[in-house]
Amino acid sequence: MIKKTLFFLAALSIYANALNCVEAYFKTIILEADIPGDYVLDSLYRTPKEGMESEPWFKKQYYTPGNYLPDSIVMANENKTVKKVFNFTQETTTEDGLKKIVVKNNGEFYSSVKYFAGTDSISFEYTSVDEGENFTTHGSFVLRNDTLFTDDSGYKSVLYLDSNNNNVCYDGTDPEDENFKKITYETKGDTIHFITDSHYSVTDLFLVPVNPQTTIGIRKIRSAANIKKFKYFDLLGRPAISKHSVQVRK
């Protein structure tokens, strides 16, 4: 059993480290539409750039091992901490090659996604509920030659690899454009870390396997009282010295 666990961890680590920034983004962007994959969002830390009016905040999600939907979420800014507890159930069906997942929370409709996933492309229809109203978006992700083409209900973007660094990619072609983003990708063991640097904020995003085999440091919640210190973090969520490497919307 120990040998199998060690083999699984080694294989997962090799898998994560074999990806470049664009490939890793393609593998994990499906989380935006609640499409199950190999990883789930563990935590997110966002610090606004100097001069921005928004506040630093973080989000931490907790899971039952093997589930891709969280049991609870804790969110905090400088002023308050909010915890949401979920009781998710889901029904999965397949028809004409399309998989559909309907999620309910405490027996009431929460979200649904209908999607087709290929080796290098994914198309989906995602519906969620907000204040009693359903909202539906359509999208697609297509990976071609280290370039990721995304379409989110008509809003299109292109994510491409840095010519000199496989761990860096860009969303946008003009660094002066307010929507331009630099994304840095790194791994430590079975943890994926994205760092997104935009005109508005710096965001650290940590993703962990759906079936975790080890306990990692970033699973500890940080105190909201210390949120002003959230600038840059290493792979265990600790403040990093002279680190300038950090979106995924979720």
Side-chain angles (χ1 to χ4, degrees), residues 231-247:
K231 289 188 177 180
Y232 300 95
F233 305 84
D234 64 15
L235 280 174
L236 295 180
R238 300 167 300 199
I241 300 175
S242 300
K243 192 175 185 67
H244 296 284
S245 57
V246 168
Q247 186 178 43

Side-chain angles (χ1 to χ4, degrees), residues 204-221:
D204 284 70
L205 194 72
F206 294 91
L207 301 107
V208 294
V210 173
N211 295 291
Q213 300 296 316
T214 58
T215 301
I216 55 178
I218 65 171
R219 291 185 174 277
K220 296 180 180 178
I221 294 182

